[in-house]
Amino acid sequence: MMPFGKGAVWGREAWKSYLFVLPFLSIFAAFIAYPLLSEIYYSFTRYEIGVAPRFVGLKNFINLLNDSDYRQSVINSLIYVGIGVNVKLGLALLIAIFLNREFRGRSLVQSLFLLPWAAATISSLLSFRWMLDTDYGVLNSLLESVGFGKIQWLGQYSTAMSIILVYHIWKYLPFWTLIFLSGLKGIPPDIYEAGRVDGATPVQLLRWVTLPMIKGLYIVCTLISAIWTMGDFITVYLMTGGGPGQSTNVVATVAYRFAFRFGEFDNASASFVLLFPVMMIIIVFVIRKLEGGHAAY
Amino acid sequence: MRTRFGTLVISLFLVLLMAGGVFAGERKLSLWWTVEYSAEEKAALEAIVNDFQKETGIKVEWSGYSSTDLWAKVMAGIEAGNPPDVSQVLSHSLVLLADRGLLMDVSDLIEKYKADMIPSGVEASYIWNSKAGKRSYYCIPWGLYTLTINYWTTDIKKAGYTTLPTDWQGFWGAFEKAQTATGIPATGWSLSDRAEFDVSWPVEQFITAFGGRLIKDGKLDLGPENRTAVIEALKFHTKWYLENKAPKGVTEWGDPDNNTNLQTHKMSMTLNATLSIPRWFYDKERDKYYNETASANYPQPGPLGKPYPVLTNIYPMIIPANAPHPKEAKEFVDFFMQKKNYDKYIKGLEARFFPMYKSTFDDPYFANPKEPHVFPTRQHFFGPSAPINFMLHPAYAKFVIGHGWHKMVARVAVDKWTPERAADEALDSLKRTFERY
């Protein structure tokens, strides 16, 4: 093993190590670092389609903060991430614990449970929309058959936002359940056995064995899911188009509108850059939790 | 050995020379077009492309997209320096592109064909360019459309009418009476962000009917008369839904939903930006096309007792300023707009869009007074007409693209705001959009 020191970093043999990481670094630089730094740069410029970027300081951020539609989209994004991620991961863990037990037909249940994740996003979104159609949807037909009136599921803010959340949870719950299930399978059975010998109840085993062992994985999943959910564009775009009255837009759909409807790449970039501090707080919080020594493995 | 090597080098040189000759001699252009409605549209485009290739030897590489996808793609193509040579775009995005100096000035082509063109279409193509500080022709309008009025004649007959009244109150009142007679909702158009023109165009048309003219001499006018017109238009736009005279789901309709609801007779009448609904009947249930449905001309005079213009819009072709093959692009556009080629194409679309040429309107296809849909809609272009407002100013176009009217409508229909409050919020937003220009 090469001793760690100056020679290890700059020595004659070190270039071989750099050669091995070069492909990753190139991809990281091209697809992560460069777009990210460009986005930050553009957010401080006036950069519209056909107009070269020109530095304007904080003007874009001030304009966005004065824009009620943007402010609403930030609130919606926080709701979407806050509720969507936590409910989804909480449920995913519970279901994973359930699926981790031995019972008849477990394989079948597991396979059926994975179906929403396997279904194509666009077709499942369209199916949701048809089921929720005010005039012809199956849900309203059922409600009417038992004496209730029609509900405009996607035609009012509260229900439309709830449906967006329900779809998100329904669609991505299986994926995270699968992740947690594999995490649970990695917990050595001896620990449970030892707990049982000591007289621990199933609830106590969950509280004192399963949760501490899975905590690190759960935190990492929260971080990844929060980042993915923050960037989710297609659910809102196809489900409501940001309506009614621009009320269900999230930052991703507003940024799309700026970039591809108005050709305003500056505002599109600033829309996300404004959220960086929020995301950084979440990331730092999660990393600190991880570094707190609670990671299972 | 040396001889063999020499032969190889000479052969390679000759092959490269020939290939280079072929490539250097090949003339081509890329064409991005909207293909989203019917097989006839695609066939009509393919026919004109084939004719052009045969006549000029210029190879056309064409791609078809939906109109909203094309919009984003053209934006990305222009910005990336890899635009098409010729493309369709939606008219309001055309205004934004022209404003930023991203389109080729095609005044020479317009001048060539202008004499035979419908004036409101020509006017709509005369667009502001902030970069050049002037108005000019930055597109070639190949198609015209208006907000068509499609309805079930059977419902009107059940309400006791043989023909639709032509005055404002009588006209709209007939559909209210039809609802009483049939139990079918009188009308319906989208009040949702999932639709584009189906929301904003009726708002614009009603503002105009109530005497509003928000753009005067290229400037925004938010005087009290216009504010009143916006409020009255908003009341009229939303009253059908609020008074249960429209299907309940209009607050979540996308662009195709008014089509399907009229086609399946879930309402008596709708407003639609093209004749796509009648065309569906023509293709699927021709008897209903001729005997059970019709399209109407706008009732005149308007609600204020004065005539008002019917708003018309263009479907434009553009040549980006940074098009890789501008010469070939102009040749294609010129070929496209030549009467013999153009007529074949526009008729191939089966009147989903109307022609730009007055002489084409005289063709029996468009001028048959017994025709229940094409002929009444044709009249929109021959009475008082004007370009739709967003063609007149980029800030106005941006407001419309940003769903400014959609939001206003939803404020009343969904959030139950008063029309006055919703209109003031929208007009304030419109004013702020103009201030940034």
Side-chain angles (χ1 to χ4, degrees), chain A residues 47-50 69 129 132 134-136 152 154-155 239-241 243-246 257 261-262 264-265, chain B residues 71-72 75 79 96 100 102 131 193-194 196 241 247-249 251-252 261 266 398 401-403 407 410 414:
Chain A
Y47 175 31
E48 295 179 356
I49 183 171
D69 286 347
R129 247 176 40 193
L132 296 165
T134 302
D135 295 311
Y136 315 114
Q152 292 155 298
L154 301 173
M239 189 74 86
T240 65
Q246 300 290 296
R257 190 176 65 164
R261 299 241 159 168
F262 302 152
E264 294 175 355
F265 304 115
Chain B
W71 182 359
M75 285 264 187
E79 183 55 27
L96 294 188
R100 289 160 188 169
L102 299 168
K131 210 168 175 183
D193 280 288
R194 286 187 46 235
E196 278 300 322
Y241 166 72
K248 210 170 165 61
T251 52
E252 57 200 53
N261 275 272
K266 298 291 190 295
K398 190 179 165 189
I401 293 170
H403 286 193
K407 189 172 178 180
V414 179

Side-chain angles (χ1 to χ4, degrees), chain B residues 48-60:
Chain B
I48 202 164
V49 163
N50 289 339
D51 290 350
F52 174 73
Q53 290 185 139
K54 266 184 216 157
E55 192 168 309
T56 62
I58 298 172
K59 189 173 178 234
V60 179

Side-chain angles (χ1 to χ4, degrees), chain B residues 35 47 78 95 128 176 241 248 252 259 318 361 395 403:
Chain B
V35 177
I78 289 176
V95 177
W128 178 252
E176 291 178 298
Y241 166 72
K248 210 170 165 61
E252 57 200 53
N259 290 44
I318 57 158
F361 267 107
H403 286 193

